[in-house]
Amino acid sequence: MHIAILGGGHGSYAAAADLAEAGHDVRLWRRDAAALAPVAERGSIVLKDARGTREVRIGAATGDIGAAVREAELVVVPTPAVAQLDIARELAPHLVDGQVVFLPPGTFGSFVMAEAVRAAGSRAHVLWAETGTLPYLARKHGPREVNVSARAVRLPTGVYPARDAARALEVISRAYPSVHACGDALSGALMNAGPVIHPPLIVMNAAPLQHFERWDIHAEGTQPAVRAVTDALDRERIAVREAFGYRAPHYPLADHYTSDRWMYGDAHRQLVKSGDWREHIELHTHRYVREDTELGLAFLASAARAAGVDAPVAHGLLALTGAFLGRDLQLGPRTFEALGLASLDRAALAERLYDGVPLRGAATA
């Protein structure tokens, strides 16, 4: 299958190497030409995992997004949510009917990117999908080298518009057999683990993160008090899912730490053992703040408001993060209010997500 991978981070390089090794024709796009040059010049990525280290050739590495997505049946966008709008605007002129765009994970980006592409003038019938986590626990070890500590074994995936779910999942499953249907885009967004695991780790480790040059929030930063807050926040997420009518499995985050039932299976020990997450985290700019808190947690809190679910932990973590950032995060750009969805009743919202057509008088992103 022809697959385009958009982005230059850990997940994009892992996806490009992994899917190329699986036999797909992969084209990797990255905006930063200088950073992409080592891959473009060698035509390969060095992939490291439990099987060892090997060089994997990819079809192309290019700074031309049109060339990357041309004839691609699947477009994978494993980038932080903060990059999605810019990518959507660059993608808009090049998308064609029937293409599937997969966001692992999405932070409701399937809806946001679709609306941005429509606003940019594209009328292509594109299928948008998002899942709850990146398919890889991965970190880059060099300009064209990526280490994969674990691969996801379950990827609950929502589709926008939901009426196209069967077709989208069929395409994605050829690249990622671990995908399975979880409903519409809102259900997929409410599977996102980042806004649950990372905000408590950031807020409750703020002092050591600012004191030490490098700190592993997944090892010494994950203590019982942090876990208790994470579990409470995750119960709020699950309550929101149930209030919107979504059924189990909800993939409670506690399973990530205590069993093999979570999306990565029994992978937390591999994550800690790898040492790849002992890193410098700048509290004002790191993606755990800008993506998972400012966008993802604010989205979850707004979904709770829309569903009538009490979510004191979500709102409290947003207030604390906003305090050290110096700005209010409650009504950010990725909330129901900002996206024009807060005024829709449950039936109208479900119809909007199923058909993908803006309701008369409804706001668009």
Side-chain angles (χ1 to χ4, degrees):
M1 179 167 56
H2 294 294
I3 301 176
I5 309 292
L6 308 184
H10 311 293
S12 297
Y13 276 47
D18 197 52
L19 296 176
E21 188 172 54
H24 298 287
D25 177 18
V26 170
R27 279 166 279 179
L28 173 66
W29 170 82
R30 185 174 185 177
R31 186 182 289 111
D32 187 336
L36 184 62
V39 178
E41 291 166 2
R42 296 290 294 270
S44 63
I45 292 173
V46 177
L47 175 62
K48 299 166 62 178
D49 60 15
R51 292 171 46 205
T53 301
R54 63 265 189 205
E55 198 151 335
V56 179
R57 295 201 62 78
I58 63 173
T62 177
D64 182 342
I65 198 169
V69 303
R70 191 174 301 123
E71 299 180 355
E73 195 169 355
L74 176 64
V75 180
V76 182
V77 189
T79 64
V82 294
Q84 289 169 349
L85 272 178
D86 285 343
I87 291 174
R89 291 165 183 145
E90 291 199 49
L91 262 181
H94 308 290
L95 292 168
V96 298
D97 288 350
Q99 286 182 309
V100 177
V101 180
F102 182 44
L103 312 177
T107 317
F108 207 43
S110 52
F111 178 88
V112 170
M113 290 184 74
E115 296 301 291
V117 164
R118 180 184 286 129
S122 173
R123 293 298 174 262
H125 181 62
V126 176
L127 289 59
W128 304 83
E130 62 181 272
T131 189
T133 189
L134 193 67
Y136 314 93
L137 288 175
R139 281 293 186 268
K140 290 163 70 177
H141 284 184
R144 65 181 192 93
E145 182 176 300
V146 64
N147 181 57
V148 175
S149 301
R151 291 170 173 80
V153 295
R154 303 173 187 90
L155 289 171
T157 299
V159 178
Y160 180 72
R163 61 185 168 87
D164 291 322
R167 159 68 180 158
L169 290 166
E170 186 277 324
V171 171
I172 299 167
S173 67
R174 281 187 262 150
Y176 294 106
S178 53
V179 302
H180 68 83
C182 75
D184 57 31
L186 177 57
S187 177
L190 291 173
M191 287 291 192
N192 192 350
V196 176
I197 191 171
H198 294 138
L201 287 172
I202 287 292
V203 170
M204 299 180 76
N205 284 280
L209 285 172
Q210 290 192 315
H211 179 73
F212 297 109
E213 179 60 29
R214 295 162 68 84
W215 180 256
D216 191 335
I217 60 175
H218 297 289
E220 59 264 53
T222 302
Q223 299 298 326
V226 179
R227 281 289 320 283
V229 172
T230 302
D231 287 347
L233 178 59
D234 202 41
R235 287 194 292 271
E236 294 177 357
R237 176 189 68 89
I238 292 171
V240 172
R241 284 185 53 78
E242 292 175 339
F244 278 112
Y246 301 123
R247 298 179 178 178
H250 300 299
Y251 289 96
L253 192 60
D255 286 347
H256 173 57
Y257 298 99
T258 62
S259 77
D260 63 356
R261 296 189 298 270
W262 202 65
M263 299 181 207
Y264 288 126
D266 186 14
H268 182 69
R269 282 175 293 183
Q270 291 99 296
L271 183 154
V272 173
K273 183 180 177 181
S274 73
D276 279 349
W277 278 261
R278 183 169 298 282
E279 59 187 344
H280 175 69
I281 292 180
E282 206 292 313
L283 288 181
H284 291 75
T285 59
H286 197 273
R287 73 170 189 84
Y288 291 169
V289 174
R290 296 192 61 221
E291 175 182 25
D292 292 325
T293 307
E294 290 192 62
L295 296 184
L297 187 59
F299 171 79
L300 175 58
S302 76
R305 291 192 294 271
V309 171
D310 190 27
V313 178
H315 287 95
L317 288 166
L318 278 176
L320 289 170
T321 308
F324 69 67
L325 292 178
R327 56 184 180 274
D328 184 3
L329 305 183
Q330 297 289 346
L331 296 176
R334 196 77 56 107
T335 58
F336 270 49
E337 292 84 356
L339 297 174
L341 301 177
S343 62
L344 301 182
D345 62 26
R346 199 68 51 80
L349 177 62
E351 181 182 348
R352 177 82 167 84
L353 295 172
Y354 182 81
D355 287 328
V357 178
L359 299 173
R360 185 173 299 173
T364 58

